[in-house]
């Protein structure tokens, strides 16, 4: 390890970082749509043509007459959706790695005025019918918040993808237990790309009631769509958005980018590319002594377990990454990930792992 | 009136509308800054250079070491600021025409978990020390929410501007009564342009504790700045923003446009232009029989009282306007208001007013 | 006026006060029931026999299979009921003198997480179909909380009683406008006594959805009943009570007193007596020069307008009263009001009014 | 097991139950005080002499000039106190068996509008400095609620008592980390009785900021005292109580019973008796084959692990108990526990344990 510092400081800083897919900019298709929408005036608060067209694009994409609303970010989208599905004295079943539990600073509790999250410990980030049933049936007295909603993240925060069958099994359990099913789709496009299925197949056709379809992590500036497949659940939802500070006056700048990515297919291409970059890194480091993929690489994230000197070496060479899930390094690839930079990262990982492994072998 | 319909339908739709200043698009300076910010990657959640630079631009503008936060829209900015200044059992004193009371769907009550707005009836939209004192001293028992904050809109929803002396008188009253002073500056730039004063003069130098500085109505896509001049009041405010769904992950797209308009001076030029268009219309219709300016035209709004046939005639000719304040037509001018279109509107007003006045004279 | 002070200080302090009906103690029937309930152990949280029997007593009283819950006080009962009827972005139509607006410190807003009260200015404290319609139809855009509930106080805070026809007219308006009807019955028994009607006639038979039936002001220590005539509206209401800190563990002490007053008829006798005392005072002072009953005396309150020297004289003689409604003195009679003391108060009023009137006549 | 049913049905139902200490009635001292307070009228909302005297009694008891408020029940008292100590985006550190986490239906989250409970897994129900430090230092980014308060239950829900030294160690950790310390003292008297210390020694002298002192489980009808030793923390707390529906109009019925039990010493005698009954049962069953005390018996609870047939046998003989903590039977003794009944329960336990053990030995 002592040999690296000097080398590291000599090396150029990597041209790109894979710490998070929200470090990336706006993709060309989204940008062009914003540019087109910026010509002249348009009615405010979603009464414009762009917003109507974007909502229709979602209906076409899902082959469903769903209700579509736009929120500024994923925290708000998830919280608004969950608050619409439960009262303050209800509870929401989620996985222990769910973003709503770990990274939204109590937003679901705030928007719902107190709904409790019931957390199922999960090593891989997925919820299962068994885990849901255990939490839903754990208590039935009025001294504990009544379970009312299940939320799953697709793909999970660990970069794994629920299969259609897994979602169907979960939704069947929900129906049996009288629970609604919410999907946090911050990286929903990546799940579609990974599964090669239609958006409808892993949502309403599989029993999902409400989807938060994320744009920010897939090439947009901001703006997540809240999609109600069961339209009875969206009653007065526009009021809820307004009161919670989530109604954009110049809505076209939230909605037009969706037209850009949906009508062009970029939403899926962006995700495919990001997923491919993750697989590229995973493949390059597979089988190395001392390295391990903590979770199967199914979407755009790679969680890499490596000896601390290897991680430290990567940091010294300028790579940035989080270690908050599973203890290893998380690399997250965006729509604009440069394959050459991915290769450069992979080469550094391999080199550092070799360097670390040798002394051990020698000893 | 019967002579107009056919004429009206033959006329081309006006090329521009003055129903609201949030119908306008993004101004060139803001757009260029977004474009520059869109190159490459940047850390998320405000840890980027653009956001740091934008905050500094505000500090420079106000000649003050203030705390700066960005929220997605004005409803959220106002509500977050008010919630930071009071607890749920406190109350907020405002004018009867205050946006927080009339057009935010209960957002201040929602964000604060129940703070009541104490409404001072006001014909011109302004609060006065007398009105504040009356409400603040009206009740002092625990059965009524304790007054804690005063909020004023600068310029008011009626298009009028508080003078420096008026704000100083209000802030002196607030200090005397133990109240904090919040300024809803959705059109703050227009007030600066109208008064020809520095931003500091009508805010912290006049005793304002917190300002919500609006960008959306002055050429930006979204994004309002919450500025704490008393930094003790902003403790943990970043957590509040995050929990309330107001922390942008790709913050640079909210902050960079501020750099664009602040560093170039466009923030003030845009407002000056809009104000000038309002004066242009006001001047053109002044003194006409049957027409009356409901409020002094001091910023970018014209409130015009006219006989219903005149208003109906304007509608038939394609002009759009709101009549929710004062009963007359509100015309609101944005940074991109076309003076020719303003003249065209003025001509229609004049023509219709004449036409309506004649029969009365003849009779 | 100068003749009175010495006299006043010589007089004994009145043995009883009529400042509020919640100054009174627990009536014998309620006390006896508590005493009976105090023998031995009983299951907690309402699973006891007393609570079951009390709920049944309400069902018998109302000839209806209603849902019955017990809350600790009127503020909580009203707020829980209103929160059950609307979401945070909805609004509640009430009279300007409604207790929920004037004396609950923002509790309805707190329990509902932000529902706004839409206040109809009312000189007599009553809501009318016209006033409701005006507020309900005033705004229909998402920038203002959507009206969802109407609340009326029976009797009103001004001591007046809605007739059956008035309530029917209001409920018809509510149904037409899609609004629920809540009745704040803090002094519900006094209304029944005044009208000589059955409880059913002015509640569910007249279209009331939810009633908060007050016990505290009618001889109980604490405890208001929330009664849902439309049982679909009480879904999960027990959870709501629990979460809001309104589920008594030793519930029998809240419920048994209801058995005591309902089964014995004391609930109505207490109210009749209190109403009679109010009429007794009203009759004694009627027609006096300079005195005026501000509101018709229909329940257990007398609002008396009198020259300030008369009011001051009453205070000096030791009488306590509030002047927060209508500017005059409010005298409120409880189940235990002593008719001799009422007469003593009446005599003082008459004497002071005479003394004050004489100089004027002489002048 | 098959031999028992017939026997069981022949046996008389036990005269007393030990399922919960809130099944018990009102103790004589509390009842007498209520009776005394019921003579005549008294000002409402805590402006009466009884309430003043009760607050003074607490100040005397704690030898401290503390602020005292009364809430209707423990859920409300805890939630109000926690809400006073933190904002919605803050978090509260508690043990996994804490009542606020397990049995208040999300009340802390509701009253605070979203504060998250950070749960330390604990086998014995106690928090430790290590556990607090781990949770407090676990996250320091704005995506997770900022820790602000620690709450401990004294005695714990497992019937154990924090020693003075343990509390001091916890409060030192709190001060070091900038956290406030709240004590849920639903059975606070039992802790004092167990430790033989003064109330001051395990509260403010040991670093506790706010105590919720429970009366309901120790012989009162309702009413918990919220005691602020750091009076700066109780600013506007009366408004908070009022808004949350926790201000009793006839406050004397909440406060007078406290006078009854504090001035007579019954508060401590009741607790001593209850503790002694728990020890009596524990001693009687100690050392029996197949039986185990799950937690040390330090206050008024006994948690007994026994083979399921033994528990089933107890149920058949009419004994009621909960099994929600630790899986065994919880027996909880109140101020009025009858030692003969305790012996009767003990005898049944012993007999059933023997009967269950024999066949196993024979086999």
């Amino acid at each position: 390890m002592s040999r690296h510092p000097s080398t590291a400081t000599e090396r150029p800083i990597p041209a790109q970082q894979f710490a998070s897919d929200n470090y990336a900019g706006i993709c060309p298709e989204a940008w062009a749509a914003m540019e087109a929408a910026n010509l002249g005036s348009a009615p405010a608060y979603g009464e414009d043509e762009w917003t109507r067209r974007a909502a229709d694009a979602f209906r076409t994409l899902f082959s469903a007459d769903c209700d579509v609303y736009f929120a500024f970010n994923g925290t708000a989208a998830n919280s608004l959706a969950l608050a619409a599905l439960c009262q303050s004295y209800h509870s929401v079943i989620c996985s222990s790695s769910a973003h709503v539990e770990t990274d939204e600073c109590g937003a679901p509790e705030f928007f719902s005025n107190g709904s409790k999250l019931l957390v199922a410990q999960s090593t891989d980030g997925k919820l299962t019918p068994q885990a849901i049933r255990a939490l839903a049936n754990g208590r039935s007295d009025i001294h504990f918040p009544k379970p009312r909603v299940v939320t799953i993240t697709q793909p999970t925060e660990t970069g794994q993808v629920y299969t259609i069958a897994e979602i169907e099994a979960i939704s069947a359990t929900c129906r049996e237990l009288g629970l609604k099913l919410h999907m946090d789709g911050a990286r929903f496009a990546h799940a579609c790309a990974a599964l090669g299925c239609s958006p409808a197949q892993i949502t309403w056709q599989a029993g999902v009631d409400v989807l938060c379809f994320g744009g920010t992590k897939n090439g947009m500036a901001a703006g997540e769509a809240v999609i109600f497949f069961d339209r009875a659940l969206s009653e007065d939802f526009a009021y809820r958005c307004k009161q919670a500070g989530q109604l954009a006056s110049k809505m076209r700048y939230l909605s037009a980018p969706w037209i850009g990515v949906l009508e062009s297919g970029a939403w899926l291409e962006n995700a495919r590319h990001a997923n491919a970059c993750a697989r590229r890194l995973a493949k390059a480091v597979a089988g190395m002594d001392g390295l391990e993929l903590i979770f199967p690489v199914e979407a755009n994230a790679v969680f890499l377990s490596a000896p601390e000197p290897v991680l430290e070496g990567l940091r010294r060479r300028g790579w940035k990454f989080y270690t908050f899930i599973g203890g290893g390094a998380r690399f997250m690839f965006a729509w604009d990930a440069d394959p050459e930079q991915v290769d450069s990262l992979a080469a550094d990982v391999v080199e550092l792992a070799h360097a670390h492994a040798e002394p051990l072998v020698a000893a």
Side-chain angles (χ1 to χ4, degrees), chain A residues 11-349:
Chain A
R11 290 173 57 96
I13 294 294
Q16 208 176 33
Q17 291 295 346
F18 306 115
S20 177
D21 39 6
N22 58 25
Y23 281 30
I26 304 174
C27 72
E29 294 82 358
W31 184 268
M34 283 176 68
E35 205 158 17
N38 196 36
L39 297 174
S41 296
Y45 301 116
E47 297 300 313
D48 62 288
E49 281 310 308
W50 302 96
T51 302
R52 234 159 296 181
R53 193 171 140 200
D56 282 341
F58 278 109
R59 291 185 195 105
T60 301
L61 185 72
F62 284 95
S63 309
D65 189 21
C66 46
D67 269 357
V68 180
Y69 298 87
F70 297 96
F72 287 112
N73 63 16
T75 295
N78 285 332
S79 295
L80 288 167
L82 294 175
L85 297 176
C86 62
Q87 297 293 309
S88 60
Y89 42 81
H90 289 144
S91 53
V92 176
I93 294 174
C94 68
S95 151
S96 54
S97 67
H99 199 262
V100 291
E101 166 68 13
T102 65
D103 283 278
E104 299 187 352
C105 198
E109 293 91 338
F110 174 77
F111 280 77
S112 66
N113 197 22
S115 301
K116 211 177 182 70
L117 301 187
L118 305 188
V119 175
Q121 291 308 317
S122 163
T123 48
D124 66 355
K126 283 191 183 176
L127 272 182
T128 61
Q130 291 79 354
I132 293 167
R133 190 168 283 117
L135 282 172
N137 293 338
R139 292 279 294 269
S140 61
D141 56 289
I142 60 171
H143 305 281
F144 200 72
K146 186 178 177 178
R148 190 66 165 256
V149 192
V150 167
T151 177
I152 57 175
T153 312
Q154 170 75 320
T156 65
E157 290 76 9
T158 59
Q160 292 176 266
V161 179
Y162 286 94
T163 64
I164 296 176
E166 284 174 327
I167 299 172
E168 287 173 343
I170 286 173
S171 77
T173 306
C174 288
R175 278 192 301 277
E176 175 198 326
L177 299 168
L179 305 170
K180 297 295 176 191
L181 182 54
H182 165 261
M183 180 178 279
D184 174 353
R187 298 182 182 94
F188 180 73
H190 303 82
C192 294
L195 291 170
C197 70
S198 77
Q201 283 177 286
I202 48 169
T203 55
W204 65 271
Q205 290 178 357
V208 170
D209 295 298
V210 185
L211 166 71
C212 293
F213 191 149
T216 313
K217 294 179 193 297
N218 196 27
M220 290 172 58
E224 318 285 294
V226 185
I227 301 175
F228 289 86
F229 299 109
D230 178 350
R231 296 179 61 178
L233 298 175
S234 69
E235 191 192 349
D236 290 339
F237 193 74
Y239 285 89
R240 186 183 292 278
C241 293
K242 168 70 192 184
Q243 184 181 39
Q246 292 291 328
L247 179 66
S249 60
K250 296 184 175 175
M251 184 72 90
R252 53 177 152 161
Y253 298 108
L254 279 191
S255 56
W258 278 108
I259 299 173
V261 300
L262 292 182
E263 293 186 356
S264 69
W267 73 280
L268 194 56
E269 277 314 306
N270 283 351
R272 277 184 187 144
H273 174 77
N275 288 358
C277 288
R279 285 196 307 272
R280 189 180 188 106
L281 172 63
K283 195 176 166 191
V285 304
M288 288 283 305
D289 252 17
L291 300 184
E292 199 181 352
L293 296 173
I294 308 177
F295 306 110
V297 175
E298 297 174 358
N300 64 328
V302 172
F303 289 83
L304 186 69
S305 171
E308 183 50 36
V310 173
L311 298 184
E312 185 52 30
L314 287 170
R315 286 189 196 98
R316 291 181 182 230
R317 292 184 180 197
W319 297 104
K320 290 186 166 55
F321 47 85
Y322 291 104
T323 54
F324 57 84
I325 298 181
R330 186 193 79 169
F331 298 102
M332 191 66 94
F333 301 93
W335 66 273
D336 66 347
D338 179 352
E340 282 186 32
Q341 290 288 322
V342 177
D343 291 345
S344 169
L345 167 60
D348 277 359
V349 170

